[in-house]
PDB file of all heavy atoms in Angstrom:
ATOM      1  N   ALA A 120      -3.925   6.438   9.602  1.00 97.00           N
ATOM      2  CA  ALA A 120      -5.317   7.158  10.055  1.00 97.00           C
ATOM      3  C   ALA A 120      -5.519   8.297   9.140  1.00 97.00           C
ATOM      4  O   ALA A 120      -6.712   8.668   9.094  1.00 97.00           O
ATOM      5  CB  ALA A 120      -5.183   7.562  11.488  1.00 97.00           C
ATOM      6  N   GLU A 121      -4.691   8.856   8.433  1.00 98.00           N
ATOM      7  CA  GLU A 121      -4.988   9.959   7.511  1.00 98.00           C
ATOM      8  C   GLU A 121      -5.669   9.426   6.238  1.00 98.00           C
ATOM      9  O   GLU A 121      -6.415  10.188   5.697  1.00 98.00           O
ATOM     10  CB  GLU A 121      -3.619  10.658   7.088  1.00 98.00           C
ATOM     11  CG  GLU A 121      -2.849  11.341   8.042  1.00 98.00           C
ATOM     12  CD  GLU A 121      -1.486  11.773   7.612  1.00 98.00           C
ATOM     13  OE1 GLU A 121      -1.292  11.901   6.334  1.00 98.00           O
ATOM     14  OE2 GLU A 121      -0.631  12.168   8.467  1.00 98.00           O
ATOM     15  N   PHE A 122      -5.414   8.209   5.933  1.00 98.00           N
ATOM     16  CA  PHE A 122      -5.985   7.601   4.672  1.00 98.00           C
ATOM     17  C   PHE A 122      -7.073   6.598   4.941  1.00 98.00           C
ATOM     18  O   PHE A 122      -7.970   6.440   4.047  1.00 98.00           O
ATOM     19  CB  PHE A 122      -4.887   6.921   3.955  1.00 98.00           C
ATOM     20  CG  PHE A 122      -3.843   7.788   3.291  1.00 98.00           C
ATOM     21  CD1 PHE A 122      -2.796   8.220   4.054  1.00 98.00           C
ATOM     22  CD2 PHE A 122      -4.056   8.211   2.038  1.00 98.00           C
ATOM     23  CE1 PHE A 122      -1.848   9.020   3.352  1.00 98.00           C
ATOM     24  CE2 PHE A 122      -3.138   8.997   1.358  1.00 98.00           C
ATOM     25  CZ  PHE A 122      -2.045   9.507   2.129  1.00 98.00           C
ATOM     26  N   ILE A 123      -7.050   6.063   6.114  1.00 98.00           N
ATOM     27  CA  ILE A 123      -8.284   5.012   6.383  1.00 98.00           C
ATOM     28  C   ILE A 123      -8.752   5.267   7.662  1.00 98.00           C
ATOM     29  O   ILE A 123      -8.119   5.429   8.770  1.00 98.00           O
ATOM     30  CB  ILE A 123      -7.644   3.594   6.414  1.00 98.00           C
ATOM     31  CG1 ILE A 123      -6.945   3.265   5.066  1.00 98.00           C
ATOM     32  CG2 ILE A 123      -8.667   2.548   6.714  1.00 98.00           C
ATOM     33  CD1 ILE A 123      -6.143   2.000   5.063  1.00 98.00           C
ATOM     34  N   GLN A 124     -10.189   5.367   7.835  1.00 95.00           N
ATOM     35  CA  GLN A 124     -10.895   5.746   8.982  1.00 95.00           C
ATOM     36  C   GLN A 124     -11.489   4.446   9.481  1.00 95.00           C
ATOM     37  O   GLN A 124     -11.586   3.425   8.778  1.00 95.00           O
ATOM     38  CB  GLN A 124     -11.993   6.779   8.677  1.00 95.00           C
ATOM     39  CG  GLN A 124     -11.489   8.127   8.529  1.00 95.00           C
ATOM     40  CD  GLN A 124     -10.751   8.423   7.123  1.00 95.00           C
ATOM     41  OE1 GLN A 124     -11.231   8.046   6.111  1.00 95.00           O
ATOM     42  NE2 GLN A 124      -9.528   8.922   7.168  1.00 95.00           N
ATOM     43  N   GLU A 125     -12.041   4.503  10.763  1.00 96.00           N
ATOM     44  CA  GLU A 125     -12.740   3.376  11.429  1.00 96.00           C
ATOM     45  C   GLU A 125     -13.915   3.157  10.521  1.00 96.00           C
ATOM     46  O   GLU A 125     -14.605   3.905   9.987  1.00 96.00           O
ATOM     47  CB  GLU A 125     -13.054   3.737  12.667  1.00 96.00           C
ATOM     48  CG  GLU A 125     -11.809   3.849  13.712  1.00 96.00           C
ATOM     49  CD  GLU A 125     -12.181   4.033  15.168  1.00 96.00           C
ATOM     50  OE1 GLU A 125     -12.948   3.084  15.539  1.00 96.00           O
ATOM     51  OE2 GLU A 125     -11.710   4.848  15.721  1.00 96.00           O
ATOM     52  N   PRO A 126     -14.254   1.835  10.491  1.00 95.00           N
ATOM     53  CA  PRO A 126     -13.746   0.612  11.223  1.00 95.00           C
ATOM     54  C   PRO A 126     -12.408   0.239  10.339  1.00 95.00           C
ATOM     55  O   PRO A 126     -12.397   0.141   9.152  1.00 95.00           O
ATOM     56  CB  PRO A 126     -14.761  -0.451  11.113  1.00 95.00           C
ATOM     57  CG  PRO A 126     -15.516  -0.034   9.889  1.00 95.00           C
ATOM     58  CD  PRO A 126     -15.514   1.401   9.798  1.00 95.00           C
ATOM     59  N   PHE A 127     -11.365   0.003  11.058  1.00 97.00           N
ATOM     60  CA  PHE A 127     -10.065  -0.325  10.380  1.00 97.00           C
ATOM     61  C   PHE A 127     -10.073  -1.724   9.987  1.00 97.00           C
ATOM     62  O   PHE A 127     -10.645  -2.573  10.691  1.00 97.00           O
ATOM     63  CB  PHE A 127      -8.952   0.041  11.453  1.00 97.00           C
ATOM     64  CG  PHE A 127      -8.708   1.444  11.791  1.00 97.00           C
ATOM     65  CD1 PHE A 127      -9.018   1.782  13.166  1.00 97.00           C
ATOM     66  CD2 PHE A 127      -8.483   2.440  10.853  1.00 97.00           C
ATOM     67  CE1 PHE A 127      -8.791   3.041  13.539  1.00 97.00           C
ATOM     68  CE2 PHE A 127      -8.406   3.769  11.247  1.00 97.00           C
ATOM     69  CZ  PHE A 127      -8.449   4.074  12.620  1.00 97.00           C
ATOM     70  N   PRO A 128      -9.267  -2.002   8.994  1.00 98.00           N
ATOM     71  CA  PRO A 128      -9.024  -3.321   8.629  1.00 98.00           C
ATOM     72  C   PRO A 128      -8.220  -4.148   9.568  1.00 98.00           C
ATOM     73  O   PRO A 128      -7.639  -3.588  10.394  1.00 98.00           O
ATOM     74  CB  PRO A 128      -8.274  -3.227   7.228  1.00 98.00           C
ATOM     75  CG  PRO A 128      -7.573  -1.997   7.343  1.00 98.00           C
ATOM     76  CD  PRO A 128      -8.388  -1.009   8.204  1.00 98.00           C
ATOM     77  N   ALA A 129      -8.295  -5.504   9.352  1.00 98.00           N
ATOM     78  CA  ALA A 129      -7.367  -6.356  10.106  1.00 98.00           C
ATOM     79  C   ALA A 129      -5.997  -6.043   9.517  1.00 98.00           C
ATOM     80  O   ALA A 129      -5.736  -5.530   8.434  1.00 98.00           O
ATOM     81  CB  ALA A 129      -7.601  -7.863   9.928  1.00 98.00           C
ATOM     82  N   ARG A 130      -4.795  -6.202  10.383  1.00 98.00           N
ATOM     83  CA  ARG A 130      -3.636  -5.717   9.975  1.00 98.00           C
ATOM     84  C   ARG A 130      -2.512  -6.497  10.657  1.00 98.00           C
ATOM     85  O   ARG A 130      -2.658  -7.051  11.755  1.00 98.00           O
ATOM     86  CB  ARG A 130      -3.350  -4.325  10.333  1.00 98.00           C
ATOM     87  CG  ARG A 130      -2.037  -3.726   9.835  1.00 98.00           C
ATOM     88  CD  ARG A 130      -1.871  -2.275  10.061  1.00 98.00           C
ATOM     89  NE  ARG A 130      -1.652  -2.223  11.643  1.00 98.00           N
ATOM     90  CZ  ARG A 130      -1.527  -0.962  12.160  1.00 98.00           C
ATOM     91  NH1 ARG A 130      -1.796   0.206  11.546  1.00 98.00           N
ATOM     92  NH2 ARG A 130      -1.453  -0.950  13.498  1.00 98.00           N
ATOM     93  N   ALA A 131      -1.381  -6.678   9.990  1.00 97.00           N
ATOM     94  CA  ALA A 131      -0.189  -7.230  10.520  1.00 97.00           C
ATOM     95  C   ALA A 131       0.964  -6.220  10.257  1.00 97.00           C
ATOM     96  O   ALA A 131       0.981  -5.635   9.167  1.00 97.00           O
ATOM     97  CB  ALA A 131       0.208  -8.657   9.967  1.00 97.00           C
ATOM     98  N   ALA A 132       1.886  -6.125  11.153  1.00 97.00           N
ATOM     99  CA  ALA A 132       3.115  -5.239  11.024  1.00 97.00           C
ATOM    100  C   ALA A 132       4.257  -6.112  11.279  1.00 97.00           C
ATOM    101  O   ALA A 132       4.380  -6.756  12.351  1.00 97.00           O
ATOM    102  CB  ALA A 132       3.091  -4.022  11.895  1.00 97.00           C
TER     103      ALA A 132
END
Side-chain angles (χ1 to χ4, degrees):
E121 292 174 18
F122 288 86
I123 302 172
Q124 287 71 48
E125 292 188 49
F127 296 117
R130 184 181 71 187

